[in-house]
Amino acid sequence: MLYRGGEVVALARGKSGRIVLEIDPALKRQLYLKLGQDDVTLKEWFLRTAERYIRGRDPLEQSSPTEKEPFDAHGD
């Protein structure tokens, strides 16, 4: 559940491996620009950030934007 402006909004959660979200178009452009400069795909960035978050580490404290941490995309 998500609370937006005091209102409860249900989040759709399918069984596939896809995640769909809506963000501000300007933020999207900035994100893709920075990822391109760092030669990192959105999927790589997201998976590294998600793994750090799950392990209890603050993803914002990453030492380098291109730091290549191993991740297990299949949960193995």
Side-chain angles (χ1 to χ4, degrees):
M1 297 238 158
L2 173 71
Y3 295 92
R4 183 180 296 151
E7 179 181 339
V8 177
V9 179
L11 300 176
R13 229 184 274 180
K15 294 185 182 197
S16 76
R18 301 190 79 153
I19 296 175
V20 178
L21 56 113
E22 187 172 330
I23 65 171
D24 180 271
L27 177 60
K28 179 181 172 183
R29 283 190 300 275
Q30 291 174 333
L31 179 58
Y32 275 105
L33 177 65
K34 181 64 176 155
L35 290 171
Q37 291 170 347
D38 292 339
D39 195 30
V40 176
T41 68
L42 180 61
K43 182 177 180 177
E44 291 169 333
W45 174 81
F46 176 82
L47 290 173
R48 278 199 309 271
T49 302
E51 286 287 331
R52 290 177 67 92
Y53 181 73
I54 289 167
R55 289 192 310 259
R57 295 172 61 195
D58 184 350
L60 298 178
E61 291 180 6
Q62 191 168 342
S63 62
S64 166
T66 57
E67 178 182 296
K68 301 285 185 183
E69 287 190 21
F71 63 86
D72 185 356
H74 302 290
D76 297 330

